[in-house]
Amino acid sequence: MLTFIGLGLYDERSITVEGQEALRAADRVYAEFYTSRLIGTTIEDLESAHDVEIEVRDRAGVEQHPEDMLEAAESEDVAFLTAGDTMISTTHVDLRLRAHDRGIETRVIHGVTAQTATSALTGLQNYRFGKATTLPFPYAHGAEGLPASVTETIDDNRADGLHTVVYLDIKTEREEYMTADVGAALLAEEYPDLVGVVVARAGSPDPLVEAGTMTELADREFGDPLHLLVVPGECHLLEADALVELAGADRDTLEIA
């Protein structure tokens, strides 16, 4: 069997009980942390906490050359770990389908995602979020200004009254994580007066939620990563109350239904 396990958002304790049981029962354990990582722990701490040995794979080792993992899963119980939820914002469906082609049974054990945590921390209702987007480092997309994928997503969602999660670029191999002030500064070039909400360290003991215009957020500091930004769309009265109370938003700047 090949079991995909989401580790949750922050440290070695963020995994569900079900995930922990499956992880500790596995014969072999693989993981990838190129899509995201757990800021509050290390590989060594994960191994110690769950009494396992973890082989970390790079992107090529998962997406192009997973044959050894699949061969192991034909005769052993193999666990494959990711931060967050194992099938969100990843290409791991392909790995699961490859396993099925070999007749390998698969299982998915979910973890908490940044999307659901963001809804809970901000008070914005999950069903009122539209398509999410990722804001890359300028050097990563190689063009001037904001990528069309970012502006079109924000504009389309706002036209429909929906909220937008803007994931901020991470380069785990370089230990480089875009912070919310940098992200807000990039967005402020196109949307200086647009209201944003910073969500920092979701899943940790000290998450931060703070609202302001993109220009204002660009001049603030939000502490350790991971960060993301939310662009609120049209807010229900209860959502507006939540942003004022939980994020320090200025009610006059919000679009209220």
Side-chain angles (χ1 to χ4, degrees):
M1 177 181 282
L2 177 58
T3 302
F4 296 84
I5 302 174
L7 294 172
L9 293 178
Y10 185 65
D11 63 16
E12 68 275 8
R13 301 170 300 167
S14 300
I15 191 172
T16 65
V17 173
E18 181 184 15
Q20 181 183 73
E21 291 174 350
L23 172 56
R24 293 180 176 180
D27 298 309
R28 296 195 188 193
V29 181
Y30 300 91
E32 69 84 356
F33 296 110
Y34 56 82
T35 52
S36 187
R37 60 160 293 189
L38 303 180
I39 292 294
T41 192
T42 64
I43 301 299
E44 293 75 20
D45 287 342
L46 277 169
E47 291 178 323
S48 177
H50 301 296
D51 194 25
V52 297
E53 292 184 4
I54 300 173
E55 180 179 331
V56 179
R57 307 300 292 262
D58 61 12
R59 186 181 294 273
V62 174
E63 298 177 8
Q64 299 173 31
H65 307 293
E67 291 80 10
D68 57 332
M69 291 191 292
L70 295 172
E71 288 175 4
E74 289 178 329
S75 58
E76 299 177 285
D77 286 333
V78 172
F80 183 79
L81 313 177
T82 68
D85 185 279
T86 185
M87 291 294 172
I88 301 297
S89 300
T90 71
T91 60
H92 303 324
V93 172
D94 176 70
L95 182 59
R96 190 180 186 197
L97 294 178
R98 291 193 193 200
H100 280 212
D101 286 342
R102 288 173 173 251
I104 299 168
E105 185 179 358
T106 63
R107 178 186 180 194
V108 177
I109 300 178
H110 300 285
V112 177
T113 70
Q115 169 80 51
T116 55
T118 294
S119 175
L121 289 169
T122 60
L124 297 174
Q125 297 301 296
N126 191 57
Y127 72 94
R128 296 185 61 126
F129 280 83
K131 178 183 175 181
T133 189
T134 298
L135 179 61
F137 288 109
Y139 70 79
H141 70 91
E144 292 186 7
L146 294 174
S149 60
V150 175
T151 56
E152 290 174 2
T153 298
I154 292 174
D155 293 345
D156 289 348
N157 284 343
R158 292 186 71 213
D160 293 333
L162 301 175
H163 315 310
T164 307
V165 171
V166 180
Y167 294 107
L168 303 179
D169 203 1
I170 66 171
K171 303 296 182 189
T172 55
E173 68 280 4
R174 300 169 56 155
E175 291 289 321
E176 187 175 11
Y177 307 94
M178 184 184 291
T179 55
D181 58 309
V182 172
L186 292 171
L187 290 170
E189 295 176 10
E190 183 78 19
Y191 308 103
D193 299 319
L194 186 64
V195 174
V197 184
V198 174
V199 177
R201 298 174 299 282
S204 76
D206 61 340
L208 176 146
V209 183
E210 191 168 324
T213 67
M214 293 301 173
T215 301
E216 292 169 341
L217 296 176
D219 289 331
R220 301 178 190 173
E221 295 184 1
F222 303 101
D224 294 334
L226 295 171
H227 301 174
L228 60 77
L229 284 161
V230 179
V231 178
E234 193 175 73
C235 293
H236 182 277
L237 281 174
L238 185 61
E239 292 179 305
D241 288 344
L243 289 179
V244 171
E245 180 65 27
L246 302 177
D250 181 347
R251 185 181 293 274
D252 292 337
T253 65
L254 301 176
E255 296 180 26
I256 302 176

